[in-house]
Amino acid sequence: MTSIIILFAVLATAFLSAVFGMAGGLILMGVLAALLPVPAAMVMHGAVQSVSNGWRAVLLRRYILWKSIGWYLLGSAAVALVLLAVTFILPRPWLFIVLGLVPLIVWVPKSVFALDATKPVQGVACGISVTGLNVIAGVSGPLLDTFFQNVEADRRSIVATKATTQVAAHGVKIAYYIAPALAAGEGGSFWLIALAIPLSVLGTTLGAKVLDRMSDEVFRRWTKRLVTGIGAYYFASGAWMLVT
């Protein structure tokens, strides 16, 4: 039953990720963290999201803002060297609390952080902060969004470029958690990845068709509402775990 729930979640969240970007990954991380030990959940989430984001980038490759990719990768590589030298795994209740707090970033006014990931320094900062948060919390979409809210581009360019950067972030996450997961004997659940990958590709393909028909205004409005609702649920769940 657990395997069926995970595979269904992969299909549904790949679809949502293709339409709303970060929302799908946030949901999938919560489902996996609830059903699997944290290291195993991180590895599976990273593998599935790498494929989902990678395929999304392929589908929308002509819209990718390549200027920001190189600077992002420089920052991502720098923080990866630091993270791989230490081991830190959040307990499940605190993981849900952090997951619940991450979406609050979407409500920060643009005037507070006038960020633009296409600028060199800010692109490097994006790589450092987004990759770091992705390793600790499992997701970093809302933070990534703050670096793209002032970029002059339509929804397809935003989704395509963020998808490309997230492949790198999830790759670092897999490298960080794979050893602890295998050491704890959690590798038995990784066979699901083979089944999850085609479902992720299918969900992403279907979602991309919906995104193409959606207006920029609807995309931004519903993304904010969706991730805020998900975040509130995760925060309440984590707090409940701590007191029970």
Side-chain angles (χ1 to χ4, degrees):
M1 186 62 180
T2 298
S3 299
I4 294 175
I5 294 174
I6 289 175
L7 292 175
F8 177 78
V10 168
L11 176 62
T13 56
F15 175 84
L16 288 173
S17 290
V19 179
F20 297 109
M22 59 190 160
L26 190 63
I27 295 172
L28 182 59
M29 188 66 244
V31 172
L32 293 176
L35 298 174
L36 299 172
V38 171
M42 290 289 193
V43 173
M44 185 167 293
H45 183 270
V48 172
Q49 288 297 95
S50 291
V51 173
S52 177
N53 280 284
W55 183 239
R56 192 178 314 130
V58 170
L59 292 175
L60 300 171
R61 58 189 177 277
R62 66 181 182 276
Y63 298 104
I64 295 174
L65 304 175
W66 290 106
K67 282 186 177 181
S68 65
I69 299 300
W71 296 114
Y72 175 93
L73 291 177
L74 182 60
S76 183
V79 77
L81 292 175
V82 176
L83 288 170
L84 293 176
V86 298
T87 300
F88 175 74
I89 300 174
L90 283 175
R92 182 178 280 110
W94 284 106
L95 175 59
F96 272 92
I97 288 174
V98 173
L99 284 173
L101 293 174
V102 168
L104 293 179
I105 299 171
V106 302
W107 292 98
V108 177
K110 291 183 178 181
S111 58
V112 175
F113 294 114
L115 301 175
D116 185 339
T118 62
K119 296 180 179 178
V121 174
Q122 294 182 33
V124 173
C126 179
I128 292 173
S129 57
V130 169
T131 301
L133 181 61
N134 197 58
V135 170
I136 294 172
V139 295
S140 55
L143 178 59
L144 182 62
D145 258 7
T146 65
F147 284 91
F148 281 86
Q149 61 187 1
N150 293 305
V151 173
E152 295 295 331
D154 71 10
R155 64 195 181 282
R156 288 163 295 193
S157 292
I158 292 172
V159 169
T161 306
K162 289 194 298 182
T164 304
T165 62
Q166 286 292 80
V167 172
H170 288 300
V172 174
K173 183 171 67 180
I174 293 171
Y176 188 82
Y177 285 101
I178 187 68
L182 293 176
E186 298 164 5
S189 60
F190 293 165
W191 64 270
L192 282 171
I193 295 174
L195 297 178
I197 286 176
L199 291 177
S200 179
V201 172
L202 174 61
T204 299
T205 302
L206 295 175
K209 296 181 182 297
V210 175
L211 175 68
D212 195 50
R213 299 179 181 181
M214 184 182 295
S215 69
D216 289 339
E217 180 183 354
V218 171
F219 167 74
R220 296 180 189 278
R221 181 172 68 247
W222 281 101
T223 295
K224 181 178 287 190
R225 291 177 179 177
L226 185 58
V227 299
T228 301
I230 296 167
Y233 173 77
Y234 284 165
F235 184 86
S237 297
W240 179 254
M241 291 178 196
L242 286 177
V243 300
T244 57

